[in-house]
Amino acid sequence: MSNIVKRQSRNRKLKRKPIGLLLVILAWSLAMGWLLALATHTQAATPTSEIGTVDVVPAQYQLGQELYIENCSTCHIALPPAVLPTQTWKNLLEDTQHYGSQLKLLVDPPRILVWKYLATFSRLQLQDEQTPYRVNSSRSFKALHPRVKLPNPVQIGSCVTCHPSAANFNFRRLTPEWENSN
């Protein structure tokens, strides 16, 4: 009799093991799913600060954007890449003469990161279009400002007239008179 009781007891223990194992797997899966959902939600959540750039910049281009702003906004307002065509940005990155100033060119890897950012968010140049080096001669700039009466000559400092936060690379915020007119 005692062998039968032992065997029954052993069978009950074996039957409990799969249930216990299933409970452990279920708990682990729920915990991992919760952590994954938390991580995904955090990355996809809209930041609490205002998005100032014209385009929302994915993570793989953000360092390039930061380097671009850091290098260009020391002398003037950094323009959104969409204002000038890709060829203009390429030429500007390769030329030490920058609108009458002598510049030290960026070296790799920062140059590559800035280039990837600018190339991704700039506009294509039409085949018969001359490469513009001034904002007011850019087809893209004119397309982005269709109803704006621009000062003559257009200067990069003029941006703050309509975009008061342009110095902080925020071109979404407009002065009240422009917000109300659109």
Side-chain angles (χ1 to χ4, degrees):
M1 269 303 203
S2 66
N3 282 342
I4 295 174
V5 173
K6 287 181 185 179
R7 211 177 294 143
Q8 287 175 345
S9 175
R10 199 176 318 137
N11 284 342
R12 276 189 225 131
K13 287 180 184 177
L14 288 175
K15 287 180 183 177
R16 286 185 203 153
K17 284 185 180 179
I19 292 173
L21 181 61
L22 286 174
L23 287 174
V24 169
I25 291 172
L26 178 65
W28 182 80
S29 298
L30 288 172
M32 293 306 290
W34 177 74
L35 288 172
L36 184 60
L38 184 63
T40 305
H41 178 69
T42 302
Q43 289 175 350
T46 304
T48 55
S49 64
E50 181 180 350
I51 297 172
T53 58
V54 175
D55 297 303
V56 176
V57 180
Q60 72 258 30
Y61 300 109
Q62 287 177 357
L63 182 56
Q65 179 191 40
E66 290 170 19
L67 289 167
Y68 163 71
I69 293 169
E70 179 183 305
N71 283 279
C72 297
S73 68
T74 56
C75 298
H76 57 77
I77 292 171
L79 295 171
V83 171
L84 294 169
T86 307
Q87 187 61 44
T88 301
W89 293 114
K90 182 179 185 305
N91 295 349
L92 289 173
L93 282 176
E94 295 172 349
D95 191 1
T96 59
Q97 287 296 318
H98 189 74
Y99 301 101
S101 297
Q102 183 75 24
L103 291 181
K104 183 179 170 190
L105 292 178
L106 286 174
V107 294
D108 294 344
R111 184 189 62 82
I112 293 171
L113 293 168
V114 170
W115 169 243
K116 285 184 179 181
Y117 164 69
L118 292 172
T120 301
F121 293 98
S122 59
R123 308 261 182 196
L124 292 176
Q125 184 171 325
L126 296 177
Q127 200 168 28
D128 60 341
E129 178 184 12
Q130 286 188 333
T131 303
Y133 290 98
R134 298 287 179 194
V135 172
N136 60 333
S137 60
S138 169
R139 175 185 59 85
S140 303
F141 178 78
K142 291 174 186 173
L144 291 167
H145 298 81
R147 294 179 291 168
V148 178
K149 190 166 185 105
L150 300 169
N152 196 3
V154 174
Q155 296 180 348
I156 292 181
S158 304
C159 299
V160 295
T161 305
C162 301
H163 304 277
S165 298
N168 298 320
F169 205 62
N170 181 340
F171 291 88
R172 287 196 180 274
R173 198 166 132 241
L174 297 170
T175 56
E177 54 270 12
W178 281 107
E179 283 180 355
N180 296 330
S181 70
N182 292 327

